[in-house]
Amino acid sequence: MKLQLPTPRESAICAAVLLIWLAVTALFIGFRPEHVLLAALIFALFFACGPTRRLVVALLPFIVFGISYDWMNICPNYQVNPVDTEGLYNAEKSLFGISVAEGMRLTPNEFFALHRSTIMDFAAGIFYLCWVPLPIAFGLWLYFTGRRIPYLHFALVFLLVNLLGFAFYYIHPAAPPWYVAIHGMEAVPGTRGEVAGLGAFDAMTGLGIFDALYARNSNVFAALPSLHSAYTLVALIYALRSRSGAIWTAVLAIVTAGIWLTAVYTSHHYIIDVLAGISCALLGFAIFEYVLMKIPAFARFIGRYAAYISENI
C-alpha cells in the first residue's frame, strides 16, 4: 500500500496555489461563501487520501474553468474593447431574419418572443439547466468507470474551449438579443443580468433558479460565442470517440440540440452566437487532438497526467 499522504512537494504546490487564488480573489473581487467552501473542499480532498487527491488533480481543468470565469470580473471585457450591439443585431436580421409583413423583418429572437409555447418554456428551462452539470456528470462517469485517458482529453478540451471563448469575449464584446430588446443599442457597463425568456420557467415552477443565476452575472456583454452551445457538444464528441454507449450519446445529442434552440428561443443568443459556439467547440477539439497532441513534449505531459490520475485504478 502506497503512502496516502501527499509528498512535501505536492503539499507545497497545493497550499501555494490555494493561497494565490484566494489572495487574488479577495483583493480584486471579494470573497463569497462559495470561495471559502470550494477552497476548504479542495484542501480536505487533497490531503484526505490518495484516491481523493487524484480526483482533485483530475478535476483541475474544471476548477481552472470556474476560477477563470470568476476572474473575468477583475477586468470586464467592455473596458477592453467597444461593445457590439447594433452590428450583430443587423447581421442576424440580414442572415436569418423572418419576414412577417410587407417591409417588416424580425430576428428569430423577436419572432419567438411573439410566439411563445408553454411546452417550449418548460423544455427550455430543463435544457439550459444541463449546460454545465451534464458535461461534468459525463466527465465524472468517464473517470469513475476507469476511462481516465478519454476523461482527461475531454476535460482539457472543455477547458481549452472555454479559454478560446473567453478570449473572444475580450476581442469582440457583444450584447445578447434580450439586451437590445430591453435597453436598445447603447451599451451601458454594469447592466444587471436578465433571465429573458427563461423567466417563464421560473414563473411556471416557482423555483427562481434562473433569476438567481443571472442576477449575479456582472458582465452581460459576453454573448459571442455562445459557450452554452459548446459544452454539451464537446461532451458529445467524446462520448462518440470513447464509445460511451447509446444512452450517453442520445442524451447528449438531444440536450445539445435543445440548448441550441433554447439559446435563440429565450433571446439569450443570436443564431450567429450559437454557430460561433459550435465553431469554438470544434476548434478547441481540433487544436488539442491534432495540434497539441502532435507535440512530443505536450503528449508526454498528458501521458504523465493520465498516469498520475490512474494510479491504483
Side-chain angles (χ1 to χ4, degrees), residues 61-122:
F62 294 105
I63 295 171
V64 172
F65 150 66
I67 293 173
S68 300
Y69 181 83
D70 196 33
W71 278 8
M72 285 196 294
N73 289 306
I74 295 174
C75 179
N77 64 344
Y78 53 76
Q79 295 180 357
V80 177
N81 278 310
V83 177
D84 183 355
T85 54
E86 189 170 2
L88 189 57
Y89 171 83
N90 289 335
E92 179 78 3
K93 184 178 286 190
S94 174
L95 291 171
F96 303 108
I98 301 169
S99 297
V100 294
E102 185 67 30
M104 180 177 291
R105 195 171 172 86
L106 302 177
T107 66
N109 312 101
E110 293 168 332
F111 179 83
F112 281 130
L114 297 173
H115 299 83
R116 307 295 300 183
S117 160
T118 301
I119 294 175
M120 270 302 301
D121 288 342
F122 181 77

Side-chain angles (χ1 to χ4, degrees), residues 39-55:
L41 181 61
I42 291 172
F43 185 87
L45 290 174
F46 192 83
F47 286 93
C49 62
T52 58
R53 180 162 57 257
R54 287 189 289 275
L55 177 61

